[in-house]
Amino acid sequence: MGWKLFLRDYASFIVFQLLLVGFIMVIYMLDGFRNIDTAIYSFCISLVLLASFLLVRYLMRQRYLMKITHLPTAMEDVLQKNAKTPEAMQTEKYMHELYRLYQHELHALYASQKRHDQFMNQWVHQMKTPISVIELLLQDDRPLDKKNVQEEIDRLRRGLDMVLVNARLENFEDDMQVEQVALKAIVTATVNENKRLFITKRVFPEIHIEDDLIVASDSKWLRFILGQFITNAVKYTFESNKKIVISAIEKDDYVQLAICDEGIGIPASDLSRVTKAFFTGENGRKTGESTGMGLYLAKEICEKLGHELAITSEVGKGTIVTVTFTN
């Protein structure tokens, strides 16, 4: 098969050479064929040179032609090096680089799929808890405690929001709309969405943000990341009558929003890893509710929106989450 491909590849060159030899013969004919032996000799030499050239080219390309005329059995077959001509070597170099890009995309796809499967397994496992609690409440002969049911429904709602955001993160740019956002209105709305959580934990929010403070962001995604920071701040504040202070300062070229809590804080050994996927850390094991995805998703969204996220903490004193909006 290799030689057939070679002949097809050089067919135009062979035709050109034959036409060239024919043209030379026509010139000899017009010249009167004074020396017929010279004409025959020139014709034979031309054919011999042409055949020699094609033979040498074929021998140089034989292994490469055999490689590309046989269907591969594995992707690694593309890494074989059989080329000897500059064009074939450049083609192999191109194929090797294409294989590297393919492997990179494949590994990224596998990592994304693995992360998605792991997240779904953890999420489904944790969603069983509020469902079980609601089932137990319904089986109780006493009057239904609506407060407890509402708390479990809120947990389900937050879990559903989390899984929807995780699903949309892959096509984030299609769902993003950056606009001028009134920061205090967004923060106030997010706090109100979680007011039952504040009441249950007996934690009090304080908002210190100017009414006219405007930032460039996506209001929907901003509410999600603020919700993650606020619920984490409340969830890891185990003592009653503590405060969560949400404040913002405006500089010439940026606005900095800070969410400060008086909770248990994050150990120094965990602080650099809290935004990694599925990392629950010491605090997550204390509550048993953490999926390790909240801060990871918040960090990913901040990066896509162009916001800078920073987390500082001291065990026993609290945590400060800072989001910087650049103008």
Side-chain angles (χ1 to χ4, degrees), residues 265-280:
I266 303 172
S269 59
D270 291 349
L271 193 57
S272 62
R273 298 182 289 169
V274 292
T275 56
K276 295 185 180 297
F278 306 112
F279 181 78
T280 56

Side-chain angles (χ1 to χ4, degrees), residues 95-119:
M95 295 300 295
H96 292 172
E97 180 64 17
L98 193 62
Y99 176 80
R100 187 189 66 81
L101 294 175
Y102 164 78
Q103 286 292 323
H104 177 74
E105 292 185 4
L106 189 63
H107 290 160
L109 180 61
Y110 281 153
S112 177
Q113 186 63 43
K114 183 179 180 181
R115 178 178 65 82
H116 175 74
D117 293 343
Q118 186 176 351
F119 171 69

Side-chain angles (χ1 to χ4, degrees), residues 37 90 120 172 181 255 285 288 306:
D37 293 337
Q90 185 62 35
M120 290 303 298
F172 183 86
V181 176
V255 173
R285 289 187 286 272

Side-chain angles (χ1 to χ4, degrees), residues 172-188:
F172 183 86
E173 288 75 10
D174 297 334
D175 197 34
M176 180 179 67
Q177 184 177 356
V178 177
E179 56 189 354
Q180 297 299 309
V181 176
L183 188 57
K184 185 174 183 179
I186 292 289
V187 171
T188 302

